[in-house]
Amino acid sequence: MKRRTLAALVVVAVAAAAFVGLRGFQSPQSPAREPGVQGLARSSGMQAPARSPDAPALGRSPDAPLPGRSSDATASARSSDATAPARSSDAGSPATVEFAASDLYTVVEGRIGRSIPVTGTLAPVQRTTVRAKVAGEVAAITVREGDTVRQGQPIARLDPTDFELRLRERDAQLRSAQAQLAQAQRTLENNQRLLEKQFISQNAFDNSRSAVDIAAAARDAASAQRAQAGKALADTRIAAPIAGVVAERFVQAGEKVSPDSRIVSIVDLSRMEIEAPVPAADVASVRVGQTVALAVEGVEGTHVGKVARINPGTLAGTRSVPVYIAVDFPRNAAPARAGMFAQGRLALEARPGTLVVPTAAIRDSGGRQFVYLIEDGRLAERNVRVGLRDDSARTPQGGVGLVEVLEGLKAGDHVVGVNLGALRAGSRVAVAPAAPAATKPPATRETREAAAPSGS
Protein backbone atom coordinates (compact mmCIF):
# COMPACT_ATOMS: atom_id res chain seq x y z
CA MET A 1 0.00 0.00 0.00
CA LYS A 2 2.80 2.42 0.83
CA ARG A 3 4.49 1.59 -2.45
CA ARG A 4 1.35 2.46 -4.42
CA THR A 5 1.04 5.80 -2.59
CA LEU A 6 4.70 6.59 -3.22
CA ALA A 7 4.31 5.78 -6.94
CA ALA A 8 1.29 8.05 -7.19
CA LEU A 9 3.18 10.91 -5.58
CA VAL A 10 6.04 10.44 -7.99
CA VAL A 11 3.65 10.60 -10.97
CA VAL A 12 2.06 13.77 -9.62
CA ALA A 13 5.45 15.39 -9.07
CA VAL A 14 6.55 14.56 -12.63
CA ALA A 15 3.29 16.00 -14.03
CA ALA A 16 3.67 19.15 -11.97
CA ALA A 17 7.23 19.63 -13.20
CA ALA A 18 6.12 19.23 -16.80
CA PHE A 19 3.32 21.73 -16.30
CA VAL A 20 5.66 24.28 -14.76
CA GLY A 21 7.99 23.86 -17.70
CA LEU A 22 5.15 24.63 -20.08
CA ARG A 23 4.29 27.79 -18.14
CA GLY A 24 7.56 29.29 -19.22
CA PHE A 25 6.32 29.38 -22.83
CA GLN A 26 2.94 31.05 -22.02
CA SER A 27 2.16 34.78 -22.42
CA PRO A 28 1.58 36.85 -19.31
CA GLN A 29 -1.87 37.77 -20.68
CA SER A 30 -3.31 34.23 -20.24
CA PRO A 31 -3.79 33.67 -16.52
CA ALA A 32 -6.83 31.49 -17.12
CA ARG A 33 -4.63 28.32 -17.24
CA GLU A 34 -2.87 29.00 -13.93
CA PRO A 35 -5.50 27.34 -11.73
CA GLY A 36 -4.65 24.08 -13.51
CA VAL A 37 -1.76 23.45 -11.10
CA GLN A 38 -3.93 23.88 -8.06
CA GLY A 39 -6.61 21.66 -9.57
CA LEU A 40 -3.99 19.02 -10.30
CA ALA A 41 -2.68 19.28 -6.79
CA ARG A 42 -6.17 18.98 -5.34
CA SER A 43 -6.85 15.90 -7.42
CA SER A 44 -3.76 14.31 -5.99
CA GLY A 45 -4.49 15.41 -2.44
CA MET A 46 -1.43 17.68 -2.20
CA GLN A 47 -1.42 21.32 -1.08
CA ALA A 48 -0.40 23.69 -3.90
CA PRO A 49 2.13 26.27 -2.81
CA ALA A 50 0.70 29.77 -2.49
CA ARG A 51 2.14 32.40 -4.85
CA SER A 52 2.13 36.08 -4.25
CA PRO A 53 0.42 38.25 -6.89
CA ASP A 54 3.61 40.27 -7.21
CA ALA A 55 5.79 37.24 -7.71
CA PRO A 56 7.10 36.62 -11.22
CA ALA A 57 5.83 33.77 -13.26
CA LEU A 58 7.51 30.44 -12.75
CA GLY A 59 10.31 29.61 -15.09
CA ARG A 60 11.37 33.24 -16.10
CA SER A 61 12.39 36.51 -14.56
CA PRO A 62 10.22 39.66 -14.86
CA ASP A 63 12.66 41.32 -17.27
CA ALA A 64 13.42 38.27 -19.35
CA PRO A 65 11.98 38.25 -22.86
CA LEU A 66 9.30 35.77 -23.70
CA PRO A 67 10.37 32.66 -25.56
CA GLY A 68 10.07 33.18 -29.28
CA ARG A 69 10.07 37.04 -28.97
CA SER A 70 13.11 39.24 -29.39
CA SER A 71 14.17 41.86 -26.90
CA ASP A 72 13.38 44.61 -29.46
CA ALA A 73 9.75 43.49 -29.63
CA THR A 74 9.53 43.55 -25.85
CA ALA A 75 10.91 47.07 -25.75
CA SER A 76 8.45 48.19 -28.42
CA ALA A 77 5.55 46.79 -26.39
CA ARG A 78 6.75 48.63 -23.30
CA SER A 79 7.09 51.89 -25.20
CA SER A 80 3.54 51.54 -26.54
CA ASP A 81 2.29 50.98 -22.98
CA ALA A 82 4.06 54.11 -21.91
CA THR A 83 2.43 56.27 -24.61
CA ALA A 84 -1.12 55.06 -23.86
CA PRO A 85 -1.87 57.85 -21.29
CA ALA A 86 -0.88 60.45 -23.87
CA ARG A 87 -3.53 59.22 -26.33
CA SER A 88 -6.27 59.35 -23.72
CA SER A 89 -5.40 62.91 -22.90
CA ASP A 90 -5.78 63.84 -26.58
CA ALA A 91 -9.20 62.17 -26.65
CA GLY A 92 -10.40 64.45 -23.81
CA SER A 93 -9.83 67.61 -25.87
CA PRO A 94 -12.96 69.25 -27.51
CA ALA A 95 -13.94 67.56 -30.76
CA THR A 96 -14.97 69.33 -33.96
CA VAL A 97 -18.60 69.02 -35.03
CA GLU A 98 -19.24 69.55 -38.73
CA PHE A 99 -22.66 70.86 -39.84
CA ALA A 100 -24.23 71.27 -43.22
CA ALA A 101 -25.30 74.78 -44.10
CA SER A 102 -28.95 73.69 -44.02
CA ASP A 103 -28.56 72.49 -40.40
CA LEU A 104 -28.01 76.03 -39.12
CA TYR A 105 -30.62 78.75 -38.67
CA THR A 106 -30.17 82.47 -38.23
CA VAL A 107 -32.59 83.99 -35.73
CA VAL A 108 -34.74 86.64 -37.42
CA GLU A 109 -37.89 88.59 -36.65
CA GLY A 110 -41.00 87.16 -38.18
CA ARG A 111 -44.72 86.69 -37.80
CA ILE A 112 -46.20 83.90 -35.71
CA GLY A 113 -49.74 83.11 -34.77
CA ARG A 114 -51.85 80.71 -32.76
CA SER A 115 -54.38 78.67 -34.67
CA ILE A 116 -56.56 75.64 -34.15
CA PRO A 117 -57.48 72.94 -36.70
CA VAL A 118 -61.03 72.88 -38.03
CA THR A 119 -62.62 69.99 -39.89
CA GLY A 120 -66.05 69.24 -41.24
CA THR A 121 -68.08 68.18 -44.25
CA LEU A 122 -69.43 70.54 -46.87
CA ALA A 123 -73.18 71.16 -46.74
CA PRO A 124 -75.13 73.44 -49.13
CA VAL A 125 -76.51 76.60 -47.58
CA GLN A 126 -79.52 76.44 -49.93
CA ARG A 127 -81.17 73.08 -50.35
CA THR A 128 -84.80 72.66 -51.28
CA THR A 129 -87.25 69.87 -52.02
CA VAL A 130 -89.76 70.69 -54.74
CA ARG A 131 -93.24 69.36 -53.89
CA ALA A 132 -96.50 69.10 -55.80
CA LYS A 133 -99.11 71.72 -54.92
CA VAL A 134 -102.11 69.91 -56.46
CA ALA A 135 -103.07 66.33 -57.01
CA GLY A 136 -102.77 64.81 -60.42
CA GLU A 137 -100.92 62.49 -62.75
CA VAL A 138 -97.32 63.30 -63.72
CA ALA A 139 -97.42 64.01 -67.42
CA ALA A 140 -93.71 64.77 -67.87
CA ILE A 141 -90.56 65.34 -65.85
CA THR A 142 -87.65 66.89 -67.70
CA VAL A 143 -84.69 66.65 -65.29
CA ARG A 144 -82.65 63.91 -63.70
CA GLU A 145 -80.01 63.72 -60.97
CA GLY A 146 -76.98 65.89 -61.73
CA ASP A 147 -78.77 68.24 -64.13
CA THR A 148 -78.17 71.95 -63.65
CA VAL A 149 -81.32 74.06 -63.49
CA ARG A 150 -82.06 77.77 -63.51
CA GLN A 151 -84.40 79.54 -61.19
CA GLY A 152 -87.90 79.35 -62.72
CA GLN A 153 -86.99 76.62 -65.20
CA PRO A 154 -89.87 74.10 -65.78
CA ILE A 155 -88.90 70.70 -64.43
CA ALA A 156 -92.20 68.74 -64.34
CA ARG A 157 -95.81 68.96 -65.54
CA LEU A 158 -99.02 67.35 -64.27
CA ASP A 159 -101.99 66.42 -66.47
CA PRO A 160 -103.96 69.72 -66.75
CA THR A 161 -107.22 68.37 -68.23
CA ASP A 162 -109.28 68.44 -65.04
CA PHE A 163 -107.96 71.83 -64.08
CA GLU A 164 -108.70 73.33 -67.51
CA LEU A 165 -112.33 72.12 -67.30
CA ARG A 166 -112.67 73.51 -63.81
CA LEU A 167 -111.34 76.84 -65.00
CA ARG A 168 -113.88 76.96 -67.82
CA GLU A 169 -116.63 76.23 -65.28
CA ARG A 170 -115.50 79.10 -63.10
CA ASP A 171 -115.39 81.38 -66.11
CA ALA A 172 -119.04 80.58 -66.84
CA GLN A 173 -120.07 81.18 -63.25
CA LEU A 174 -118.29 84.50 -63.30
CA ARG A 175 -120.07 85.60 -66.47
CA SER A 176 -123.42 84.59 -64.96
CA ALA A 177 -122.75 86.59 -61.85
CA GLN A 178 -121.75 89.58 -63.89
CA ALA A 179 -124.99 89.37 -65.92
CA GLN A 180 -127.11 89.17 -62.78
CA LEU A 181 -125.34 92.17 -61.38
CA ALA A 182 -126.01 94.15 -64.55
CA GLN A 183 -129.72 93.21 -64.43
CA ALA A 184 -129.98 94.25 -60.79
CA GLN A 185 -128.36 97.58 -61.53
CA ARG A 186 -130.85 98.28 -64.37
CA THR A 187 -133.75 97.39 -62.11
CA LEU A 188 -132.44 99.76 -59.48
CA GLU A 189 -132.22 102.62 -61.98
CA ASN A 190 -135.81 102.06 -63.15
CA ASN A 191 -137.11 101.90 -59.60
CA GLN A 192 -135.31 105.11 -58.84
CA ARG A 193 -137.31 106.93 -61.53
CA LEU A 194 -140.57 105.29 -60.42
CA LEU A 195 -139.92 106.31 -56.85
CA GLU A 196 -139.43 109.90 -57.88
CA LYS A 197 -142.91 109.82 -59.55
CA GLN A 198 -144.27 107.96 -56.52
CA PHE A 199 -145.33 104.99 -58.61
CA ILE A 200 -143.64 102.53 -56.18
CA SER A 201 -143.09 102.53 -52.49
CA GLN A 202 -139.87 103.15 -50.70
CA ASN A 203 -139.77 99.53 -49.57
CA ALA A 204 -139.81 98.30 -53.19
CA PHE A 205 -136.96 100.61 -54.04
CA ASP A 206 -134.90 99.35 -51.05
CA ASN A 207 -135.40 95.75 -52.19
CA SER A 208 -134.05 96.52 -55.62
CA ARG A 209 -131.00 98.18 -54.12
CA SER A 210 -130.35 95.11 -51.93
CA ALA A 211 -130.57 92.93 -55.03
CA VAL A 212 -127.77 94.94 -56.58
CA ASP A 213 -125.57 94.37 -53.52
CA ILE A 214 -126.29 90.63 -53.57
CA ALA A 215 -125.45 90.36 -57.25
CA ALA A 216 -122.16 92.25 -56.74
CA ALA A 217 -121.16 89.87 -53.95
CA ALA A 218 -121.97 86.86 -56.12
CA ARG A 219 -119.87 88.38 -58.89
CA ASP A 220 -116.91 88.81 -56.51
CA ALA A 221 -117.22 85.19 -55.27
CA ALA A 222 -117.32 83.86 -58.81
CA SER A 223 -114.25 85.95 -59.67
CA ALA A 224 -112.32 84.53 -56.69
CA GLN A 225 -113.27 80.98 -57.62
CA ARG A 226 -112.13 81.62 -61.15
CA ALA A 227 -108.76 82.91 -59.88
CA GLN A 228 -108.39 79.83 -57.68
CA ALA A 229 -109.06 77.54 -60.62
CA GLY A 230 -106.54 79.45 -62.67
CA LYS A 231 -103.89 79.05 -59.95
CA ALA A 232 -104.56 75.31 -59.70
CA LEU A 233 -104.07 75.05 -63.44
CA ALA A 234 -100.79 76.99 -63.19
CA ASP A 235 -99.64 74.68 -60.37
CA THR A 236 -99.69 71.75 -62.75
CA ARG A 237 -96.54 73.28 -64.27
CA ILE A 238 -93.72 72.76 -61.70
CA ALA A 239 -90.64 75.04 -61.89
CA ALA A 240 -87.32 75.18 -60.02
CA PRO A 241 -87.52 77.65 -57.09
CA ILE A 242 -83.71 78.15 -56.98
CA ALA A 243 -80.77 77.73 -59.31
CA GLY A 244 -78.64 74.69 -58.62
CA VAL A 245 -78.18 71.00 -59.35
CA VAL A 246 -80.78 68.27 -59.10
CA ALA A 247 -79.71 66.02 -56.26
CA GLU A 248 -82.56 63.48 -56.30
CA ARG A 249 -85.70 62.71 -58.30
CA PHE A 250 -88.61 61.09 -56.46
CA VAL A 251 -91.29 60.47 -59.17
CA GLN A 252 -91.54 59.14 -62.68
CA ALA A 253 -93.86 60.06 -65.53
CA GLY A 254 -97.29 58.46 -65.18
CA GLU A 255 -97.32 58.32 -61.39
CA LYS A 256 -100.18 59.82 -59.39
CA VAL A 257 -99.16 62.43 -56.86
CA SER A 258 -101.06 64.14 -54.11
CA PRO A 259 -100.56 67.63 -52.73
CA ASP A 260 -97.21 67.97 -50.88
CA SER A 261 -95.69 64.95 -52.66
CA ARG A 262 -91.94 65.26 -53.32
CA ILE A 263 -90.92 65.75 -56.94
CA VAL A 264 -87.16 66.58 -56.96
CA SER A 265 -84.45 67.86 -54.59
CA ILE A 266 -82.22 70.77 -55.69
CA VAL A 267 -79.00 71.98 -54.05
CA ASP A 268 -77.00 75.15 -54.68
CA LEU A 269 -73.30 74.25 -54.75
CA SER A 270 -72.10 77.81 -55.23
CA ARG A 271 -72.28 78.55 -51.50
CA MET A 272 -71.63 75.89 -48.89
CA GLU A 273 -70.61 75.74 -45.26
CA ILE A 274 -69.02 73.39 -42.78
CA GLU A 275 -69.89 72.86 -39.15
CA ALA A 276 -66.61 72.75 -37.22
CA PRO A 277 -66.45 72.06 -33.48
CA VAL A 278 -64.21 74.49 -31.57
CA PRO A 279 -63.05 73.85 -27.97
CA ALA A 280 -64.91 75.95 -25.43
CA ALA A 281 -61.60 77.38 -24.17
CA ASP A 282 -60.84 78.86 -27.61
CA VAL A 283 -64.27 79.96 -28.77
CA ALA A 284 -63.87 83.35 -27.07
CA SER A 285 -61.18 84.21 -29.64
CA VAL A 286 -63.43 83.38 -32.61
CA ARG A 287 -65.24 86.23 -34.32
CA VAL A 288 -67.84 86.33 -37.09
CA GLY A 289 -66.09 87.29 -40.32
CA GLN A 290 -62.72 85.68 -39.53
CA THR A 291 -61.13 84.05 -42.58
CA VAL A 292 -60.15 80.39 -42.72
CA ALA A 293 -57.94 78.72 -45.36
CA LEU A 294 -59.55 75.38 -46.22
CA ALA A 295 -58.36 72.40 -48.22
CA VAL A 296 -61.24 70.39 -49.70
CA GLU A 297 -60.79 66.71 -50.39
CA GLY A 298 -60.68 66.07 -54.11
CA VAL A 299 -60.49 69.79 -55.02
CA GLU A 300 -57.21 71.41 -55.97
CA GLY A 301 -56.04 74.60 -54.36
CA THR A 302 -56.90 76.41 -51.14
CA HIS A 303 -60.31 77.99 -50.62
CA VAL A 304 -60.93 80.88 -48.27
CA GLY A 305 -63.94 80.68 -46.00
CA LYS A 306 -65.41 83.02 -43.41
CA VAL A 307 -66.97 82.39 -40.04
CA ALA A 308 -70.69 82.95 -40.70
CA ARG A 309 -72.28 81.97 -37.39
CA ILE A 310 -71.34 80.76 -33.92
CA ASN A 311 -73.66 78.43 -32.07
CA PRO A 312 -74.78 79.85 -28.70
CA GLY A 313 -74.43 76.51 -26.91
CA THR A 314 -72.04 73.59 -26.58
CA LEU A 315 -72.48 70.09 -27.91
CA ALA A 316 -73.45 67.53 -25.31
CA GLY A 317 -70.65 65.12 -24.49
CA THR A 318 -67.86 67.01 -26.29
CA ARG A 319 -68.17 70.44 -24.63
CA SER A 320 -67.28 72.04 -27.94
CA VAL A 321 -69.06 74.91 -29.69
CA PRO A 322 -70.15 74.47 -33.33
CA VAL A 323 -68.81 77.20 -35.64
CA TYR A 324 -70.27 77.52 -39.13
CA ILE A 325 -67.78 78.49 -41.87
CA ALA A 326 -69.17 79.60 -45.24
CA VAL A 327 -67.25 78.89 -48.46
CA ASP A 328 -68.10 80.30 -51.90
CA PHE A 329 -67.41 78.43 -55.13
CA PRO A 330 -67.85 79.61 -58.74
CA ARG A 331 -71.36 78.68 -59.89
CA ASN A 332 -70.37 77.56 -63.38
CA ALA A 333 -67.22 75.67 -62.41
CA ALA A 334 -67.78 74.51 -58.86
CA PRO A 335 -65.96 71.18 -58.47
CA ALA A 336 -66.97 70.80 -54.83
CA ARG A 337 -69.82 68.50 -53.90
CA ALA A 338 -71.97 68.20 -50.84
CA GLY A 339 -70.52 65.84 -48.24
CA MET A 340 -66.86 66.37 -49.19
CA PHE A 341 -64.39 66.57 -46.30
CA ALA A 342 -62.73 69.93 -45.65
CA GLN A 343 -60.00 70.84 -43.19
CA GLY A 344 -58.06 73.97 -42.37
CA ARG A 345 -56.75 76.16 -39.57
CA LEU A 346 -58.56 78.99 -37.83
CA ALA A 347 -56.18 81.76 -36.76
CA LEU A 348 -56.91 82.94 -33.24
CA GLU A 349 -53.97 85.25 -32.59
CA ALA A 350 -51.10 86.74 -34.61
CA ARG A 351 -47.90 88.46 -33.43
CA PRO A 352 -45.73 90.24 -36.00
CA GLY A 353 -42.14 91.36 -35.40
CA THR A 354 -41.15 88.64 -32.93
CA LEU A 355 -38.11 86.35 -32.82
CA VAL A 356 -38.87 82.89 -34.17
CA VAL A 357 -36.88 79.65 -34.44
CA PRO A 358 -37.83 76.21 -35.78
CA THR A 359 -39.59 73.93 -33.36
CA ALA A 360 -36.86 71.32 -33.89
CA ALA A 361 -34.27 73.75 -32.50
CA ILE A 362 -35.86 73.75 -29.02
CA ARG A 363 -34.54 71.03 -26.68
CA ASP A 364 -36.12 69.95 -23.40
CA SER A 365 -33.91 68.50 -20.69
CA GLY A 366 -34.33 68.43 -16.96
CA GLY A 367 -37.26 70.82 -16.91
CA ARG A 368 -35.45 73.49 -18.95
CA GLN A 369 -35.61 74.52 -22.57
CA PHE A 370 -32.49 75.43 -24.51
CA VAL A 371 -31.00 75.70 -27.98
CA TYR A 372 -27.55 74.88 -29.32
CA LEU A 373 -26.00 78.28 -30.03
CA ILE A 374 -22.88 78.79 -32.13
CA GLU A 375 -20.78 81.33 -30.28
CA ASP A 376 -17.15 82.21 -31.14
CA GLY A 377 -16.89 79.11 -33.31
CA ARG A 378 -17.95 76.74 -30.53
CA LEU A 379 -21.16 75.01 -29.55
CA ALA A 380 -22.93 76.31 -26.44
CA GLU A 381 -26.24 75.61 -24.70
CA ARG A 382 -28.43 78.69 -24.31
CA ASN A 383 -31.53 78.60 -22.12
CA VAL A 384 -34.59 80.21 -23.72
CA ARG A 385 -38.16 81.09 -22.81
CA VAL A 386 -40.68 80.39 -25.55
CA GLY A 387 -44.15 81.72 -26.32
CA LEU A 388 -46.55 80.91 -29.13
CA ARG A 389 -46.15 77.82 -31.28
CA ASP A 390 -47.31 77.53 -34.88
CA ASP A 391 -47.16 73.89 -35.90
CA SER A 392 -48.26 74.62 -39.47
CA ALA A 393 -45.66 77.28 -40.40
CA ARG A 394 -42.89 76.33 -42.84
CA THR A 395 -39.22 76.74 -41.91
CA PRO A 396 -36.35 77.65 -44.25
CA GLN A 397 -34.98 74.11 -43.79
CA GLY A 398 -38.17 72.69 -45.24
CA GLY A 399 -39.55 71.53 -41.91
CA VAL A 400 -42.82 72.46 -40.25
CA GLY A 401 -43.30 74.43 -37.04
CA LEU A 402 -42.06 77.73 -35.61
CA VAL A 403 -41.71 78.85 -31.99
CA GLU A 404 -41.67 82.35 -30.58
CA VAL A 405 -38.59 83.09 -28.43
CA LEU A 406 -39.25 85.59 -25.64
CA GLU A 407 -35.88 85.48 -23.85
CA GLY A 408 -32.40 84.06 -24.44
CA LEU A 409 -31.71 84.96 -28.08
CA LYS A 410 -31.35 88.03 -30.25
CA ALA A 411 -31.68 88.67 -33.95
CA GLY A 412 -28.67 87.41 -35.88
CA ASP A 413 -27.75 84.55 -33.54
CA HIS A 414 -26.89 81.26 -35.21
CA VAL A 415 -28.45 78.12 -33.77
CA VAL A 416 -28.73 74.50 -34.78
CA GLY A 417 -32.11 74.44 -36.50
CA VAL A 418 -32.61 70.68 -36.77
CA ASN A 419 -32.68 67.88 -34.22
CA LEU A 420 -29.36 66.02 -34.53
CA GLY A 421 -29.53 64.35 -31.14
CA ALA A 422 -27.41 65.20 -28.11
CA LEU A 423 -24.38 67.38 -28.88
CA ARG A 424 -21.37 68.21 -26.69
CA ALA A 425 -21.21 71.80 -25.52
CA GLY A 426 -17.82 73.40 -26.15
CA SER A 427 -17.13 71.48 -29.35
CA ARG A 428 -15.60 73.34 -32.24
CA VAL A 429 -18.01 74.02 -35.10
CA ALA A 430 -17.24 73.64 -38.77
CA VAL A 431 -19.58 74.15 -41.71
CA ALA A 432 -19.22 71.69 -44.56
CA PRO A 433 -18.78 73.42 -47.92
CA ALA A 434 -21.51 72.99 -50.48
CA ALA A 435 -20.91 70.27 -53.03
CA PRO A 436 -19.53 71.84 -56.22
CA ALA A 437 -21.70 71.65 -59.28
CA ALA A 438 -20.63 69.17 -61.92
CA THR A 439 -18.62 70.97 -64.61
CA LYS A 440 -18.29 69.87 -68.19
CA PRO A 441 -14.69 68.85 -69.07
CA PRO A 442 -12.98 71.01 -71.66
CA ALA A 443 -13.22 69.72 -75.21
CA THR A 444 -10.05 68.26 -76.67
CA ARG A 445 -9.01 68.17 -80.29
CA GLU A 446 -10.21 64.60 -80.59
CA THR A 447 -13.66 65.36 -79.16
CA ARG A 448 -14.02 68.42 -81.38
CA GLU A 449 -13.15 66.42 -84.46
CA ALA A 450 -15.59 63.68 -83.44
CA ALA A 451 -18.41 66.21 -82.91
CA ALA A 452 -17.76 68.06 -86.15
CA PRO A 453 -20.03 67.18 -89.15
CA SER A 454 -18.52 64.74 -91.60
CA GLY A 455 -18.94 67.14 -94.50
CA SER A 456 -16.91 69.95 -92.92
Side-chain angles (χ1 to χ4, degrees):
M1 186 65 182
K2 291 182 179 182
R3 291 181 179 178
R4 291 180 182 177
T5 303
L6 182 58
L9 291 178
V10 171
V11 172
V12 170
V14 172
F19 181 81
V20 171
L22 291 176
R23 287 283 295 175
F25 293 93
Q26 289 182 349
S27 172
Q29 299 180 354
S30 56
R33 298 181 182 180
E34 186 174 344
V37 179
Q38 297 179 358
L40 187 59
R42 285 195 298 268
S43 63
S44 60
M46 297 178 61
Q47 182 68 28
R51 182 169 60 88
S52 173
D54 299 333
L58 295 178
R60 65 180 181 89
S61 63
D63 297 333
L66 292 176
R69 178 183 295 185
S70 64
S71 59
D72 295 339
T74 305
S76 176
R78 291 178 180 175
S79 63
S80 63
D81 294 340
T83 58
R87 289 197 302 268
S88 62
S89 63
D90 293 341
S93 62
T96 299
V97 181
E98 189 177 50
F99 295 99
S102 60
D103 296 338
L104 305 181
Y105 176 81
T106 302
V107 180
V108 295
E109 291 186 355
R111 178 185 178 91
I112 193 170
R114 182 170 66 93
S115 60
I116 57 174
V118 290
T119 57
T121 55
L122 293 175
V125 176
Q126 289 188 346
R127 183 186 185 104
T128 183
T129 301
V130 182
R131 298 177 182 270
K133 296 181 180 179
V134 294
E137 180 182 343
V138 178
I141 183 166
T142 60
V143 294
R144 300 187 66 87
E145 291 83 353
D147 290 344
T148 301
V149 296
R150 304 182 311 274
Q151 184 176 4
Q153 174 183 340
I155 57 177
R157 182 172 58 86
L158 303 182
D159 186 5
T161 303
D162 293 343
F163 299 94
E164 291 174 348
L165 295 176
R166 189 174 303 171
L167 179 61
R168 293 170 59 183
E169 179 186 1
R170 298 306 180 188
D171 283 338
Q173 291 176 355
L174 177 60
R175 289 194 301 270
S176 175
Q178 290 174 344
Q180 292 176 3
L181 176 60
Q183 178 63 33
Q185 288 176 344
R186 286 193 297 271
T187 301
L188 179 62
E189 292 174 357
N190 292 334
N191 289 341
Q192 177 69 32
R193 287 191 295 269
L194 293 176
L195 180 63
E196 292 175 354
K197 297 179 180 181
Q198 296 183 354
F199 290 158
I200 62 173
S201 65
Q202 183 67 36
N203 187 25
F205 176 78
D206 292 340
N207 289 337
S208 62
R209 185 164 57 185
S210 297
V212 171
D213 294 338
I214 293 173
R219 188 270 318 268
D220 293 342
S223 177
Q225 291 176 356
R226 194 271 178 199
Q228 186 176 10
K231 182 181 182 301
L233 178 60
D235 288 340
T236 59
R237 296 183 294 271
I238 302 174
I242 62 172
V245 180
V246 177
E248 190 173 0
R249 191 172 81 166
F250 302 101
V251 297
Q252 304 293 334
E255 293 184 8
K256 293 282 292 186
V257 296
S258 59
D260 206 35
S261 296
R262 296 183 300 173
I263 305 299
V264 294
S265 175
I266 301 175
V267 296
D268 183 7
L269 301 179
S270 63
R271 183 173 179 81
M272 292 193 280
E273 67 180 12
I274 65 172
E275 178 183 339
V278 174
D282 298 324
V283 75
S285 302
V286 181
R287 296 288 184 271
V288 174
Q290 282 182 298
T291 59
V292 184
L294 296 173
V296 181
E297 180 185 13
V299 181
E300 295 182 357
T302 301
H303 302 272
V304 179
K306 290 185 178 181
V307 177
R309 306 185 308 280
I310 302 175
N311 199 296
T314 61
L315 295 176
T318 62
R319 307 303 300 169
S320 59
V321 179
V323 173
Y324 303 92
I325 302 172
V327 189
D328 292 333
F329 296 93
R331 183 179 296 274
N332 296 330
R337 295 292 182 265
M340 284 186 172
F341 183 75
Q343 58 182 349
R345 299 195 69 86
L346 177 60
L348 302 180
E349 183 180 359
R351 295 181 185 177
T354 183
L355 298 180
V356 293
V357 298
T359 305
I362 304 297
R363 308 299 179 88
D364 295 322
S365 177
R368 68 185 182 97
Q369 293 180 319
F370 66 93
V371 298
Y372 285 116
L373 175 68
I374 299 176
E375 192 173 22
D376 297 332
R378 292 183 179 273
L379 203 62
E381 294 183 1
R382 177 68 61 85
N383 293 336
V384 294
R385 187 166 67 90
V386 300
L388 292 181
R389 291 177 178 263
D390 189 356
D391 296 331
S392 62
R394 290 284 179 178
T395 65
Q397 288 81 5
V400 179
L402 290 176
V403 181
E404 177 190 18
V405 178
L406 302 177
E407 293 180 0
L409 295 176
K410 64 181 182 300
D413 286 344
H414 300 283
V415 299
V416 179
V418 294
N419 191 349
L420 300 177
L423 303 176
R424 178 183 295 182
S427 301
R428 297 186 183 92
V429 174
V431 179
T439 59
K440 184 177 180 180
T444 62
R445 179 179 180 183
E446 290 78 3
T447 56
R448 287 196 298 267
E449 292 177 353
S454 59
S456 61

